[in-house]
Amino acid sequence: MTEFELIHRFFSGLDFGPSTRLGIGDDAAILDIPPAHSLVVSVDSANEHTHFSELTLPEVVAYRSIASAISDLAAMGATPIGMTLALSLSEQDPLWLRSFSEGVTKAVYAFGCPLVGGDTTKGPLSISVTVMGTVPQGFGLKRSGATVGDLICVSSSLGDAAAGLQLELGTLFAEEHPSCSDYLLDRWSYPQPRLALGSDLLNSATACIDISDGFLADLGHLLQQSGVGAQINEAAIPISAELISVVGRAQALQLALSGGEDYELCFTLPSSVAVPEGCSVVGQIVATMGIRGLTNTPVRTGFQHF
Amino acid sequence: MTEFELIHRFFSGLDFGPSTRLGIGDDAAILDIPPAHSLVVSVDSANEHTHFSELTLPEVVAYRSIASAISDLAAMGATPIGMTLALSLSEQDPLWLRSFSEGVTKAVYAFGCPLVGGDTTKGPLSISVTVMGTVPQGFGLKRSGATVGDLICVSSSLGDAAAGLQLELGTLFAEEHPSCSDYLLDRWSYPQPRLALGSDLLNSATACIDISDGFLADLGHLLQQSGVGAQINEAAIPISAELISVVGRAQALQLALSGGEDYELCFTLPSSVAVPEGCSVVGQIVATMGIRGLTNTPVRTGFQHF
């Protein structure tokens, strides 16, 4: 069986969702858009050596690549309707492809986002995912709406994925805490984009961004585009007990502030609005530009793409 | 100036079109879909060494990559509303990037398709383009509707791009015919997806596909999905005078039948419908599966992805 046939076999049947009018197999797919809705679209890529190592499970490579793109939809408050996947592969390794396709399948079902287009080419390993979703016309969470007095919230504990990546790369060890280690690795391997929360925030949040580069880096983008600053309450930043067990409190805070790839949401709410369950208020928007309230200047500010 | 800043500089201002509600710079872009229209989406990738050589002008690499994806929209009869571009780059070469961005800019304007999302990563050179367009709900040219008696048509001369590619690679020479050589190289470098024709065919064609792999290969896909066969009139296949001048009549026919990347449309029309201007009738749909009427079995049947 050629690689082409394997791809057809492993990836078939993932193209149908409530919006799919025509799936894979023609020149293009056709998707229905609900009346009075707009299309939301974003693209994200991952390359071997840059975004994952040659030891990363192909299933995890696939799942994380898709989750990272889907998280951009969550940050806009969009509901996924479909995605395309461009895969560049250098070797004909059926088992690699099988494991990769299982990651794709898991992601398709976890995020309710059918795979409506794909292209496979020969070349060094690289994955590019374009995700499409919808929001009611005139809606969509931007980075630019935060106003002085708004509460700054995050959707869950931060820093876990950064520690998980160190465990994955073998630069951090946690033999004494096997269950904590599993938890942190899982947080890195299978991020859970906050689609339901993003959708709920459409009527209440003034600004929103997903935490991919690191809390301070991404909050910085939100502040810059809103033209405001932030007063942070460092003690309120949610940190998991697992992360503290493995790296200690001081390092945990550093990872929470600057470690990337958590794919949690950072959003701002008018102080009159109830904070969604599970979310933490970590500061407040102020007029003076910049981020205040940190006891130490963090060492690293987020993932560097180049 | 870092590569990241260069990309921002070279690619800025290409994101606004009639459908763009929110351009590049947030977590995702937002596009408006006309009422009672569906979304059409397709992805296409190109890698160095597989789809172009290291001598191909970056402007051409960009233009062709986008044209090839846009051609899938043309084959569906869709009108473009936006695209995303994932670019993997290994070296920081500002001039390469400048030339590449000029190809992107030309394509954005030529096809009326704004660039609404991009992601640049470090890695071996690779380009992936996801295009989005719209068709009126319930419309969209499929490969599967061809019916016995339908006329088989192509939109313009075939084989030119395949000869252009040989000229580009230096495996074909045409010093005695400089203007023909320029024409053929141009047909390969700057393909013109038939967007207007595709749109016009929405109400008349029974099936449609774009010729990317080669006429016989792509007609074969259309026939297979329609469950019919074809009687071809070889003498009616449109071949340019330029192609005949450079490679002779016999080789020209081979390239027209089997050379890929022309990005012309191959479509079927009920015999009662007028054939659009500039298009040629090259055969008729018959009940017996397969393709008949060829004097020789072609050597190569289209571009092999793996």
Side-chain angles (χ1 to χ4, degrees):
Chain A
M1 206 178 265
T2 68
E3 190 145 13
F4 206 64
E5 290 165 331
L6 285 173
I7 287 167
H8 274 270
R9 184 177 150 204
F10 292 150
F11 290 85
S12 68
L14 298 176
D15 52 346
F16 270 83
S19 299
T20 312
R21 189 180 275 264
L22 181 69
I24 286 179
D26 214 300
D27 292 297
I30 304 183
L31 299 178
D32 284 336
I33 306 282
H37 276 63
S38 294
L39 175 68
V40 180
V41 60
S42 182
V43 59
D44 227 332
S45 307
N47 291 352
E48 197 171 48
H49 305 306
T50 306
H51 297 84
F52 53 89
S53 85
E54 55 207 359
L55 291 177
T56 309
L57 285 174
E59 182 188 306
V60 170
V61 170
Y63 194 94
R64 292 192 73 258
S65 301
I66 295 169
S68 131
I70 291 283
S71 180
D72 286 319
L73 292 185
M76 300 298 288
T79 302
I81 57 167
M83 62 176 155
T84 65
L85 179 67
L87 181 60
S88 170
L89 277 177
S90 49
E91 283 164 56
Q92 303 215 357
D93 181 344
L95 272 182
W96 191 96
L97 208 54
R98 176 82 190 259
S99 169
F100 184 86
S101 77
E102 304 217 328
V104 173
T105 305
K106 277 190 185 176
V108 163
Y109 287 103
F111 311 138
C113 188
L115 179 67
V116 298
D119 192 27
T120 311
T121 53
K122 202 164 186 158
L125 187 55
S126 159
I127 298 113
S128 166
V129 183
T130 295
V131 287
M132 288 152 285
T134 61
V135 288
Q137 237 165 54
F139 286 79
L141 301 169
K142 300 177 192 169
R143 297 177 176 178
S144 56
T147 311
V148 174
D150 284 354
L151 303 175
I152 301 169
C153 306
V154 295
S155 55
S156 186
S157 63
L158 304 180
D160 293 337
L165 173 59
Q166 292 182 18
L167 290 164
E168 165 77 17
L169 296 176
T171 57
L172 175 70
F173 302 92
E175 283 89 354
E176 321 92 84
H177 308 283
S179 71
C180 296
S181 170
D182 285 355
Y183 166 81
L184 296 173
L185 259 171
D186 203 62
R187 287 274 284 165
W188 179 76
S189 307
Y190 297 100
Q192 298 303 322
R194 301 297 174 185
L195 286 166
L197 174 63
S199 198
D200 286 348
L201 292 175
L202 273 178
N203 287 299
S204 57
T206 50
C208 186
I209 191 169
D210 69 319
I211 301 176
S212 54
D213 293 350
F215 170 65
L216 291 180
D218 290 313
L219 173 61
H221 296 313
L222 185 153
L223 296 174
Q224 195 182 13
Q225 294 201 25
S226 296
V228 293
Q231 177 69 40
I232 297 298
N233 175 9
E234 215 175 61
I237 291 172
I239 300 178
S240 71
E242 290 87 347
L243 183 61
I244 294 171
S245 294
V246 171
V247 301
R249 192 168 291 273
Q251 180 61 12
L253 178 61
Q254 282 302 312
L255 291 174
L257 290 173
S258 305
E261 310 196 328
D262 280 314
Y263 301 115
E264 297 297 340
L265 296 183
C266 172
F267 56 97
T268 54
L269 284 180
S271 55
S272 57
V273 169
V275 176
E277 211 185 309
C279 298
S280 305
V281 177
V282 297
Q284 197 157 16
I285 295 294
V286 296
T288 316
M289 301 286 280
I291 300 175
R292 279 140 215 279
L294 303 174
T295 46
N296 291 296
T297 313
V299 185
R300 198 178 74 100
T301 52
F303 179 74
Q304 299 299 317
H305 291 278
F306 268 97
Chain B
M1 207 179 264
T2 69
E3 189 143 15
F4 205 66
E5 290 165 331
L6 285 174
I7 288 166
H8 274 268
R9 186 177 149 203
F10 292 150
F11 291 83
S12 68
L14 298 176
D15 51 345
F16 270 83
S19 300
T20 313
R21 190 181 275 263
L22 180 69
I24 286 179
D26 214 300
D27 292 299
I30 305 182
L31 300 177
D32 284 336
I33 305 282
H37 278 63
S38 293
L39 175 69
V40 179
V41 60
S42 182
V43 59
D44 226 332
S45 307
N47 291 352
E48 195 171 49
H49 307 304
T50 306
H51 297 84
F52 53 89
S53 85
E54 55 207 359
L55 291 177
T56 309
L57 284 175
E59 182 188 307
V60 171
V61 170
Y63 194 95
R64 292 192 74 258
S65 301
I66 295 170
S68 132
I70 291 282
S71 181
D72 286 320
L73 292 185
M76 301 298 288
T79 302
I81 55 166
M83 62 176 155
T84 66
L85 179 68
L87 180 61
S88 170
L89 277 179
S90 50
E91 284 165 54
Q92 304 215 355
D93 181 343
L95 272 181
W96 191 96
L97 207 55
R98 176 82 191 258
S99 170
F100 185 86
S101 76
E102 303 215 331
V104 172
T105 305
K106 277 191 186 177
V108 163
Y109 287 103
F111 311 139
C113 189
L115 178 67
V116 299
D119 193 27
T120 311
T121 53
K122 201 164 186 157
L125 188 54
S126 159
I127 297 112
S128 166
V129 182
T130 294
V131 288
M132 288 153 285
T134 61
V135 287
Q137 236 165 56
F139 286 79
L141 301 169
K142 299 178 193 169
R143 298 176 175 179
S144 55
T147 311
V148 174
D150 285 352
L151 304 175
I152 302 169
C153 307
V154 295
S155 54
S156 186
S157 64
L158 303 180
D160 294 336
L165 174 60
Q166 292 182 17
L167 289 165
E168 165 76 17
L169 296 175
T171 56
L172 176 67
F173 301 91
E175 283 88 355
E176 323 91 83
H177 308 283
S179 70
C180 297
S181 170
D182 284 355
Y183 167 82
L184 297 172
L185 259 171
D186 203 62
R187 287 276 283 165
W188 179 76
S189 307
Y190 297 100
Q192 299 301 323
R194 302 297 175 185
L195 287 166
L197 175 63
S199 198
D200 286 349
L201 292 174
L202 273 177
N203 288 299
S204 57
T206 51
C208 187
I209 191 169
D210 69 319
I211 302 176
S212 53
D213 294 350
F215 170 67
L216 291 180
D218 290 312
L219 173 62
H221 297 312
L222 184 153
L223 296 173
Q224 195 182 10
Q225 294 202 24
S226 296
V228 293
Q231 177 69 39
I232 296 297
N233 175 9
E234 214 175 61
I237 291 172
I239 299 177
S240 71
E242 289 86 348
L243 182 60
I244 295 172
S245 294
V246 170
V247 302
R249 192 169 292 273
Q251 179 63 12
L253 179 61
Q254 283 301 312
L255 291 174
L257 290 172
S258 305
E261 311 197 326
D262 280 315
Y263 301 114
E264 297 298 338
L265 296 183
C266 172
F267 56 97
T268 54
L269 284 181
S271 56
S272 57
V273 170
V275 176
E277 212 186 309
C279 298
S280 305
V281 177
V282 297
Q284 198 158 17
I285 295 294
V286 297
T288 317
M289 300 287 278
I291 299 175
R292 280 139 215 280
L294 302 174
T295 46
N296 292 297
T297 313
V299 184
R300 198 178 74 99
T301 52
F303 179 74
Q304 299 297 318
H305 291 279
F306 269 98

